[in-house]
Amino acid sequence: MDIPDDIFTEPEDVDPETLANLGPLRRLAGIWEGRRGVDVNPKADGPERREFYERIEMQPIDPQANGPQLFYGLRYHVHVNTVEEAITFHDQVGYWLWEPATGLILQTVSIPRGQVAIAAGQAEPDAGTLVLTAVRGQTEYGICSTTFLEQAFRTDAYRIEVTFHDDGSWSYVQDTTLQVRGQDAPFLHRDTNTLSKIAEPGLNPWASILRRAPGG
């Protein structure tokens, strides 16, 4: 990436309407449900396969600037349950971000077991598929975990592939490569699901303010 000499000045001609500037992420905006999820995870006796259902909410945030760099994005919350149990199976929050100037896509991942990651990819505004990756040890698009996870279930790589469908739904395949303590070969922890929209997104705060203003 070429860094400009002026790293402080933010762009002045910023469109406040996030939903109009999300590129390929526009198709993710909204509230979604999926009931065909499959999770394959490591257990002491071998891989365990669990079926799950999830709810994902993705709402637009205001444009975000790093000096001259400008992102449009969605704040998301993933909540997952299994049919067998009422308690939470998985919970995750973060952001999906799009840089129109370069085609950069980011997903930030934060889960309440003491792990965070930033995954990155490139895509055109009308892309039908998104592929993002993160690798342990990288300082830009990497993975950070607690001491226990590092020693017991070390995450070496993360990859998510999102596919948009003609009916408005989308699906994902999420692969997390784990090095489990006491096992020689890496374990591929895979999650898959297809999501259908149940509600439209709201407006980002700046756009909402402008819509309420006189003459807006």
Side-chain angles (χ1 to χ4, degrees), residues 4 15 23 26 30-31 52 64 71 81 83 89 111 113 115 125-126 128 130 136 155 169 173 178-179 193-194 214:
D15 186 348
R26 178 62 181 87
I31 303 176
F52 65 85
Q64 303 291 311
F71 288 113
N81 288 92
V83 176
F89 184 62
I111 60 176
R113 292 193 297 275
Q115 191 169 61
D126 59 350
L130 310 176
R136 176 180 175 270
T155 300
S169 67
V173 178
L178 303 174
Q179 187 60 57
N193 205 354
T194 298

Side-chain angles (χ1 to χ4, degrees), residues 76-98:
Y76 75 86
H77 177 211
V78 177
H79 189 80
V80 179
N81 288 92
T82 62
V83 176
E84 303 87 7
E85 298 176 324
I87 62 174
T88 298
F89 184 62
H90 180 77
D91 198 85
Q92 179 177 317
V93 296
Y95 297 93
W96 282 88
L97 302 172
W98 160 252

Side-chain angles (χ1 to χ4, degrees), residues 1 11 13-26 61-74 96-106 121-127:
M1 178 180 180
D13 57 343
V14 176
D15 186 348
E17 297 280 349
T18 293
L19 289 173
N21 293 277
L22 283 171
L25 300 185
R26 178 62 181 87
I61 60 172
D62 284 342
Q64 303 291 311
N66 293 325
Q69 185 179 44
L70 181 65
F71 288 113
Y72 287 92
L74 300 166
W96 282 88
L97 302 172
W98 160 252
E99 186 180 21
T102 66
L104 175 66
I105 295 178
L106 301 178
Q122 294 284 144
E124 297 295 327
D126 59 350

Side-chain angles (χ1 to χ4, degrees), residues 103-199:
L104 175 66
I105 295 178
L106 301 178
Q107 183 199 25
T108 69
V109 177
S110 179
I111 60 176
R113 292 193 297 275
Q115 191 169 61
V116 295
I118 301 178
Q122 294 284 144
E124 297 295 327
D126 59 350
T129 302
L130 310 176
V131 178
L132 289 79
T133 59
V135 177
R136 176 180 175 270
Q138 288 190 357
T139 58
E140 291 178 309
Y141 308 119
I143 301 162
C144 184
S145 308
T146 64
T147 301
F148 173 80
L149 291 178
E150 273 287 296
Q151 296 180 0
F153 299 95
R154 191 183 74 213
T155 300
D156 287 338
Y158 168 86
R159 182 182 187 275
I160 184 168
E161 181 171 338
V162 172
T163 302
F164 299 111
H165 306 296
D166 292 340
D167 64 358
S169 67
W170 57 278
S171 58
Y172 69 83
V173 178
Q174 180 178 293
D175 290 330
T176 306
T177 304
L178 303 174
Q179 187 60 57
V180 181
R181 186 176 182 179
Q183 298 183 8
D184 294 331
F187 183 90
L188 185 65
H189 180 184
R190 171 164 287 186
D191 292 285
T192 63
N193 205 354
T194 298
L195 289 301
S196 298
K197 185 181 287 186
I198 62 169

Side-chain angles (χ1 to χ4, degrees), residues 39-52:
D39 173 89
V40 180
N41 63 84
K43 295 295 182 183
D45 298 330
E48 176 190 62
R49 184 183 186 276
R50 299 288 297 274
E51 295 183 356
F52 65 85

